[in-house]
Amino acid sequence: TPKVSKRILIMMSNTGGGHKASADAIKAAFQEKYGDDYDVLIEDIWKDHTPAPFNRVPDTYSFMVRHAFLWWFSYVVMQPRWVHSPYLRLVHSLVSKRLNTAFNELRPDLVVSVHPLMQHVPIRVMKSRIRSGLSQPINFATVVTDFTTCHNTWFHPEATRCFVPTEYCKQLAVQNGLKEPQIVLHGLPIRPIFSKPLPTKKMMKKALGLNTSLPAILLVGGGEGMGKLEDTVDQIAEKLGSSCQVVVVCGRNKRLLQRLSEKRYTSGMPVTATGFIDNIHEYMHASDAIITKAGPGTIAEALISGLPILLNGNVPCQEEGNIPYVVENGVGAFETRPPKIANILASWLSPLEREEFVLKAERSKALGRPEAVYKIVQDLATLAHVPDFQWGTAKAAVEAGRVPQPTI
Ligand code: UDP
């Protein structure tokens, strides 16, 4: 059996697809760079390691975001530290026993959180374990998976490291009491598959069975296939006719997939509908623009793929800041009404705006950070080897060869 040198516990929760995607990205990059040197475990802490009612957090989230006001209300109420700090202390007192059992079973050498509600409680549990001799001192790292507007509970001054995706997030970390050396800006961790070379756009279109001579618009409704997808396709078909094709990713929305697959558009616009796909990187590469809600993961992936981005909606609060990020960086637009969405697309694809459209794609590519996941993983690898991390000791450990270097 291969020797496992260090175990890394990634704490996520399936609230939206993004946290899981980030955890998977980190795990895949560890595997690629270090093989079996690290044993990376991904655990849904709320669902699998806390008692009721906390184990229903993921279900509650999906209910709340569908009822925007409820979500907005709890998000805003929890922002100030004087509210969330005592609240999470109370939660700690109710879940710490189960969490302690989880730590005893999993025995991590480094804990990584990719979730806004997994700082205060786990850090408190870890500290008490270290104090009572149940655990060696180990490091705790937060990898922020929101792009811009982040809830304050992401930031805990006692986290060893906090990896942020944007300068804006970095400022939020500072405002929440983190010190400069604790905060590291690499970008959002995106699955390594997005940074691998692919054939030309035309060849990719052919490989996916798309029309090779028409621009392709990728319409993504998130993992759940939400939003006014069908209406949007209808409007695009009406306004753009056979001058483009649309690929609709319906996610887990089976009814929508069925309806779109059966529909024929009189304008002759080719429409390809798919369910949840694992090769979304290939579809992005084959496409010429994307329409999506303002999810951080999808935006970061679209940037790596060099796509102009038309945002058609957002989860209240944490995705709001992603809209100005896209618009002000000149890589896209925001519009929720399907007829207007079709108008914007028509202008993007018109010969008059061709130059600006190409520029949008170039700016998008330039903003993408495909290397972020590797940089984060390299830093995490170091953190797993150096208990009670300080810059000096980490550097010494690397120089003394105590920290394995990436093998590839
Ligand atoms: N996704 C996918 N296949 C699909 C639909 C979505 O792999 O068919 C992925 C998408 O690439 C992204 C994630 O699901 O990585 C969605 O994350 P995002 O942060 O955009 O939104 P969330 O679902 O977290 O609100």
Side-chain angles (χ1 to χ4, degrees), residues 11-13 43-60 87-88 90-103 105-106 115 117-118 120-122 125:
M11 302 193 302
M12 52 74 79
S13 192
E43 293 285 324
D44 189 327
I45 293 294
W46 289 114
K47 185 161 152 282
D48 296 328
H49 298 288
T50 63
F54 301 102
N55 57 2
R56 286 199 290 274
V57 163
D59 302 334
T60 316
Y87 172 77
L88 290 169
L90 175 71
V91 174
H92 168 267
S93 67
L94 300 170
V95 306
S96 64
K97 199 156 161 255
R98 277 290 297 275
L99 216 50
N100 211 17
T101 311
F103 273 106
E105 282 165 13
L106 303 170
H115 197 276
L117 285 178
M118 283 177 195
H120 298 68
V121 176
V125 171

Side-chain angles (χ1 to χ4, degrees), residues 15-19 21 61 145 190-191 194 220 222-223 249-251 274-280 284 292-299 301 315 319:
T15 50
H19 304 300
Y61 171 83
T145 65
I190 293 303
R191 284 167 286 168
F194 274 89
V220 187
V249 179
C250 305
T274 79
F276 191 91
I277 42 173
D278 288 324
N279 59 340
I280 199 159
M284 285 196 188
T292 173
K293 79 171 181 76
T298 308
I299 293 177
E301 292 162 0
V315 170
E319 288 183 356

Side-chain angles (χ1 to χ4, degrees), residues 242-272:
S242 56
S243 66
C244 74
Q245 61 189 320
V246 175
V247 180
V248 194
V249 179
C250 305
R252 297 183 189 87
N253 191 339
K254 291 213 174 70
R255 275 189 20 221
L256 176 70
L257 175 60
Q258 172 118 27
R259 270 205 313 277
L260 286 174
S261 311
E262 287 164 0
K263 215 160 159 171
R264 290 289 164 268
Y265 290 89
T266 45
S267 68
M269 183 179 80
V271 175
T272 310

Side-chain angles (χ1 to χ4, degrees), residues 208-220:
L208 295 172
L210 304 177
N211 187 315
T212 51
S213 46
L214 290 178
I217 310 301
L218 187 63
L219 180 53
V220 187

